[in-house]
Amino acid sequence: MTDLFAAYDLAGISLNNRIVMAPMTRSRAPHDIADERIALYYAQRGTAGLIISEGTPVSREGQGYLFNPGIFTPEQIAGWRLTTQSVHAVGGRIFAQLWHVGRVSHTSIQDGGKAPVSTTSLVANGATSFGYGEDDQPGFVQASAPRPLETDEVTRVVEDFAQAAANAVEAGFDGVEIHAANGYLFEQFMNPMVNDRTDRYSAISIENRLRFTLEVTDAIIARIGAQRVGIRISPYGQLFDMAHYDDMDELYATLADALGPRGIAYVHVMDQSGFTMGETKGESFADRVDRLLKRMRQGLGPIALILAGGMTLERAQRLIDTGLIDLAAFGQPFIGNPDLVARLKHGWALNVSDRATYYGGGANGFIDYPAYEVT
């Protein structure tokens, strides 16, 4: 049986254990700059083998939620540096999740009230952004109608990611994770039900639909090195008006085959099968996730696989023991349990997180959860 609480070598980076803190938007940065409270929040959870930060926008254009700390200005770099130093001071490791929401944004967030950008002009029906409503108060609002990026603009967005990666390293992050999941910009290229382009990024082929993802990956590798790069994906996810399509398995298998030779640090799979209804091809979506992980493992070779989504200690142990994954990511349990690793290791009871304080606000529900008291 693999010891989940023993050290793990992630592409040359020594992790204290195989438990990962998954990225979670908390909207606690009033000026879009990571501050002392954010540094404390992550340091409190620094016993995780690896922390992946909340999504940090690579540009104002890429932002879809108010009060998120970005990574595109000198002030934001300096703000994040306090967080990375704090995490490192307690022996932790932290990657920055690089984020561009694409069409899942709102004009109230964009410079000058501009339309969000995407692959398409199709509105993400039912998708909400955290912006300003008609009463000028922050809250969840229907995402605005986007405008499709011109072909030459895509190159600029690729550079935004490469520069953000360099900024993250300057801020002291151990690496970066490309946020290619959950219906945001990368999936808007990959999903043929959304991508209605006619240029080299069109949906006519899997190669075209993956072009943007691989261009960003290569640009970041060139800037900071492959061993500092991870990527997050969410096969079978349906967040933000993402419909399923026939060649989903083939697309993600092809992506794995392309990433393998690039030698990045890891691929982080978000299992959204718990939010996906029904069965397909005679099997549940949960079973399809497991089958796809096996297929991706073939293409990725020694690249680490992380799985998140409804994770439990028992599931983590089983999947790691079978070799299906290498690291197990926990999200919401880390909100209410800054000492989650110790609680899992010793079988201690977990605090219940307060959903009403997930987004926005102050210290309450953010940095005030107690550690377990041994009696």
Side-chain angles (χ1 to χ4, degrees):
M1 179 179 290
T2 302
D3 185 355
L4 303 185
F5 304 99
Y8 177 80
D9 186 313
L10 178 67
I13 299 173
S14 180
L15 308 183
N16 290 328
N17 52 69
R18 293 176 183 251
I19 306 298
V20 176
M21 176 178 166
M24 291 175 287
T25 299
R26 301 306 307 277
S27 296
R28 288 305 208 284
H31 304 290
D32 299 336
I33 298 171
D35 59 11
E36 292 86 353
R37 286 186 308 183
I38 290 174
L40 176 58
Y41 167 75
Y42 285 110
Q44 287 175 333
R45 292 152 179 82
T47 54
L50 175 66
I51 293 173
I52 304 169
S53 82
E54 61 206 280
T56 182
V58 300
S59 63
R60 175 65 62 195
E61 176 187 83
Q63 189 163 348
Y65 298 80
L66 294 172
F67 316 136
N68 276 157
I71 193 69
F72 54 90
T73 71
E75 294 78 14
Q76 290 170 339
I77 295 169
W80 274 120
R81 187 176 295 117
L82 178 61
T83 291
T84 61
Q85 289 174 343
S86 299
V87 170
H88 291 153
V90 297
R93 296 288 194 173
I94 182 168
F95 273 42
Q97 189 187 65
L98 304 184
W99 196 16
H100 192 306
V101 302
R103 67 179 184 162
V104 189
S105 187
H106 190 262
T107 54
S108 65
I109 301 171
Q110 298 292 314
D111 282 335
K114 296 177 182 177
V117 299
S118 178
T119 59
T120 180
S121 60
L122 296 173
V123 175
N125 290 318
T128 55
S129 174
F130 193 66
Y132 290 107
E134 294 181 359
D135 58 359
D136 291 327
Q137 295 300 309
F140 286 100
V141 290
Q142 165 64 43
S144 300
R147 119 182 130 72
L149 287 159
E150 299 291 341
T151 302
D152 59 353
E153 287 185 291
V154 177
T155 302
R156 171 182 57 75
V157 176
V158 171
E159 174 56 26
D160 286 344
F161 273 92
Q163 184 59 54
N167 293 348
V169 171
E170 183 182 345
F173 283 99
D174 297 292
V176 302
E177 177 179 282
I178 301 166
H179 192 351
N182 295 2
Y184 297 121
L185 183 61
F186 289 85
E187 278 203 348
Q188 292 160 33
F189 277 94
M190 289 190 279
N191 191 317
M193 309 301 288
V194 174
N195 182 346
D196 55 7
R197 303 180 70 85
T198 58
D199 59 5
R200 65 177 181 268
Y201 301 98
S202 73
I204 194 172
S205 67
I206 286 178
E207 179 184 11
N208 279 9
R209 284 150 52 196
L210 289 175
R211 189 182 307 278
F212 173 68
T213 300
L214 294 176
E215 285 180 350
V216 169
T217 302
D218 289 341
I220 293 177
I221 288 173
R223 196 70 63 93
I224 66 171
Q227 291 75 22
R228 292 187 174 204
V229 181
I231 185 170
R232 193 182 213 210
I233 57 175
S234 55
Y236 318 123
Q238 293 179 293
L239 291 177
F240 303 129
D241 202 23
M242 286 286 120
H244 285 170
Y245 47 96
D246 290 340
D247 60 357
M248 284 187 294
D249 292 351
E250 184 181 356
L251 179 134
Y252 285 105
T254 301
L255 177 60
D257 291 344
L259 291 174
R262 287 167 165 84
I264 63 173
Y266 67 80
V267 172
H268 181 184
V269 178
M270 174 60 182
D271 176 6
Q272 294 182 5
S273 60
F275 303 98
T276 303
M277 302 300 293
E279 296 186 352
T280 179
K281 299 180 181 178
E283 60 183 344
S284 71
F285 283 108
D287 289 338
R288 284 188 71 181
V289 170
D290 285 0
R291 181 164 56 82
L292 180 59
L293 287 172
K294 293 178 183 177
R295 171 61 182 85
M296 292 182 66
R297 173 70 82 187
Q298 296 173 12
L300 294 174
I303 294 173
L305 262 175
I306 303 173
L307 184 67
M311 188 58 65
T312 64
L313 180 61
E314 293 73 23
R315 187 184 186 204
Q317 188 71 66
R318 175 177 59 82
L319 294 177
I320 290 175
D321 282 343
T322 60
L324 198 59
I325 64 173
D326 300 289
L327 300 158
F330 294 77
Q332 294 183 49
F334 264 112
I335 291 178
N337 300 275
D339 57 342
L340 181 65
V341 174
R343 290 175 185 255
L344 293 175
K345 183 175 183 179
H346 298 291
W348 297 337
L350 301 185
N351 293 324
V352 177
S353 306
D354 180 7
R355 285 182 170 273
T357 62
Y358 277 11
Y359 301 100
N364 181 41
F366 189 53
I367 54 175
D368 60 346
Y369 285 103
Y372 187 83
E373 291 188 13
V374 180
T375 57

